[in-house]
Amino acid sequence: MTKMKKKPITKQEREEEVLLGLVELFLTTGKAIGSNTLRENGFDHISSATIRNYFAALEAKDLLKQQHTSGGRTPTDKALRIYTKHLLSNKPEKLPKDDVQFLESLICKETRGLSTYLQEITEALSDLTSHTVLITAPRFERDFISKILITKVDEGRALCIIVTDFGLIHTETLYLPTHMSTFSIKRMEEYFHYRLTSLDKPKLTEEEEGFAKHAYNEVILRHFISYTNLERPDIYKAGFAKLLTHSEFHDPEALSSTLSLFENNLSLQNLLYQNENLDLLIGDDLKEHIAPPYKSALLRMPYFIHNKVAGNIAILGPSRMNYKDLIALLETASKLLSDSLTKNLYKYQLTYRLPKSKEVTYTSGDLPVIGLTHKERL
């Protein structure tokens, strides 16, 4: 049988091979790559002179840049986009077995406490990746207020902390009409508990009870309005301080411009809303959301409930990230989270809403149930 001849590699294919090899080496070392360095790292089948010719051609296409005439090259944001597109179009890297098992132990849980659950996942992914992690989520229905805590801030204000069954925390500031002692504030908190449960009405003075009734109704209505008027997804965040572990953010201007992303909730919502595929925003792709210099990158991956996009998992870091491993992690985390949330919503008969600015979707034909307390509804 005649052996088929191998199709010769074209100049364009070899050029792409050199580019992808340089990008991978740069992401590993963080250093500019010279022709000899590349040749010593898997390209000994090409002469250094030929590699330099490829470098020059890639530089002319705005894919490489060179800070010094005699120095090595670093990839541009355009080259990093090509690299990640190449990763996504080929068989993805498999996540190490230990990491898969860790994610399974973290994500595959039966729970009603969805807010606490999502925050724990966000924190764990941030620790695992050493990057900032954000997860957007729809508003899960059939939640109820489980308790209200009150703490005195100063002579004129108290802070009410509303905690729900799902682990959602909502705060409201109350303005006190007169001086109230710590004991009065504690009795008011006990009154709130009585209103939530119908158990153990505390003894209050007539003045305390009058204000406590008014304050309870005020806090409940504020929470009701905030809960029912969903204009943006709930966003869980972790790992801001991890930006400081990357040399790119030792530049105060670069750090400040990246952190400014979190000052505008509408911009953040728009940034984290996307279609049904993993994608990358890098460098000036983020110019509508942050100020220059553009040294950041954001990988975002949707997850699904009943096969419909429900939210996103996003990793924010410097342009030089380990894209290969991060893509593998995001794809695994998305699949596990999609399966787990779908099962939990089915098991606990829960529904969800997406923001008003996007198409509103329910998991069943039921109208959304807005929870106040287990025993009391407005």
Side-chain angles (χ1 to χ4, degrees):
M1 187 172 177
T2 308
K3 287 186 180 180
M4 291 186 67
K5 288 185 178 179
K6 241 184 179 181
K7 187 180 176 182
I9 296 176
T10 66
K11 183 180 178 182
Q12 186 176 348
E13 288 170 335
R14 184 73 77 191
E15 191 176 279
E16 183 181 13
E17 179 190 359
V18 168
L19 175 65
L20 296 176
L22 181 143
V23 171
E24 191 141 328
L25 193 55
F26 169 76
L27 293 177
T28 302
T29 65
K31 297 177 180 178
I33 308 300
S35 56
N36 290 329
T37 303
L38 187 65
R39 191 169 187 276
E40 291 164 3
N41 286 270
F43 284 82
D44 53 1
H45 55 292
I46 310 176
S47 70
S48 296
T50 303
I51 290 174
R52 284 193 292 273
N53 289 336
Y54 283 124
F55 281 2
L58 291 166
E59 195 172 350
K61 294 178 181 179
D62 193 31
L63 293 171
L64 298 182
K65 55 188 176 182
Q66 186 180 32
Q67 288 186 332
H68 309 290
T69 307
S70 58
R73 268 77 167 185
T74 57
T76 62
D77 291 344
K78 185 178 176 182
L80 291 173
R81 292 186 193 100
I82 291 173
Y83 174 77
T84 53
K85 187 176 179 181
H86 171 80
L87 291 178
L88 293 172
S89 63
N90 288 276
K91 190 174 181 180
E93 189 84 2
K94 285 189 177 180
L95 203 62
K97 188 176 179 181
D98 288 348
D99 288 347
V100 173
Q101 290 175 342
F102 171 74
L103 288 177
E104 287 175 343
S105 68
L106 172 74
I107 297 174
C108 300
K109 291 181 179 178
E110 290 186 357
T111 180
R112 271 181 59 90
L114 296 176
S115 182
T116 302
Y117 165 76
L118 287 169
Q119 186 60 49
E120 286 175 352
I121 291 172
T122 309
E123 299 279 353
L125 290 178
S126 177
D127 288 340
L128 191 60
T129 61
S130 297
H131 292 300
T132 303
V133 172
L134 305 102
I135 296 181
T136 62
R139 182 65 51 82
F140 297 102
E141 303 296 342
R142 302 184 187 274
D143 195 8
F144 298 93
I145 296 173
S146 60
K147 60 183 174 181
I148 301 177
L149 306 174
I150 308 176
T151 183
K152 190 174 180 180
V153 178
D154 53 35
E155 294 305 311
R157 294 175 300 169
L159 185 68
C160 291
I161 304 166
I162 301 166
V163 184
T164 74
D165 273 1
F166 292 169
L168 187 69
I169 297 175
H170 175 209
T171 60
E172 289 289 349
T173 302
L174 276 181
Y175 290 88
L176 308 176
T178 58
H179 170 72
M180 295 182 73
S181 68
T182 303
F183 296 107
S184 293
I185 295 292
K186 184 64 179 175
R187 287 192 289 272
M188 186 164 71
E189 182 179 288
E190 291 170 353
Y191 175 83
F192 278 28
H193 177 74
Y194 155 71
R195 289 290 299 274
L196 290 173
T197 64
S198 299
L199 299 172
D200 303 322
K201 183 178 180 180
K203 291 182 180 180
L204 294 87
T205 66
E206 185 178 342
E207 185 180 2
E208 285 174 343
E209 185 165 351
F211 178 67
K213 285 181 179 178
H214 164 77
Y216 177 82
N217 291 336
E218 179 73 17
V219 167
I220 290 294
L221 281 170
R222 288 188 203 173
H223 175 71
F224 180 82
I225 291 167
S226 172
Y227 191 90
T228 55
N229 290 282
L230 182 62
E231 294 184 352
R232 55 180 176 265
D234 293 328
I235 303 177
Y236 299 86
K237 310 165 189 173
F240 285 13
K242 288 183 170 59
L243 292 173
L244 296 172
T245 64
H246 303 286
S247 59
E248 291 85 347
F249 298 118
H250 293 173
D251 173 7
E253 196 174 358
L255 178 64
S256 176
S257 71
T258 301
L259 290 176
S260 69
L261 172 64
F262 304 102
E263 295 174 5
N264 187 328
N265 283 327
L266 181 59
S267 178
L268 190 58
Q269 172 195 342
N270 291 334
L271 176 63
L272 296 176
Y273 185 86
Q274 63 164 114
N275 294 322
E276 299 186 2
N277 296 296
L278 185 150
D279 70 350
L280 169 72
L281 295 176
I282 185 168
D284 61 9
D285 291 339
L286 295 165
K287 64 185 177 184
E288 292 182 9
H289 306 281
I290 64 174
Y294 306 119
K295 295 186 178 181
S296 308
L298 184 114
L299 272 170
R300 54 188 184 181
M301 175 79 185
Y303 64 87
F304 305 81
I305 296 176
H306 295 305
N307 299 316
K308 293 183 179 178
V309 175
N312 288 279
I313 308 170
I315 296 176
L316 176 71
S319 301
R320 189 178 69 86
M321 293 197 288
N322 187 344
Y323 294 105
K324 188 181 290 186
D325 289 349
L326 292 177
I327 287 170
L329 181 140
L330 278 174
E331 291 184 333
T332 303
S334 170
K335 183 181 184 306
L336 292 173
L337 184 58
S338 299
D339 292 345
S340 183
L341 283 175
T342 299
K343 289 175 183 176
N344 278 315
L345 265 64
Y346 178 79
K347 178 179 175 62
Y348 295 104
Q349 296 297 296
L350 304 176
T351 57
Y352 71 93
R353 287 179 294 144
L354 293 174
K356 286 183 177 180
S357 57
K358 305 297 177 187
E359 183 183 356
V360 178
T361 305
Y362 300 102
T363 59
S364 73
D366 298 334
L367 290 174
V369 176
I370 307 303
L372 296 182
T373 74
H374 287 287
K375 296 184 178 181
E376 181 178 7
R377 296 274 179 84
L378 286 178

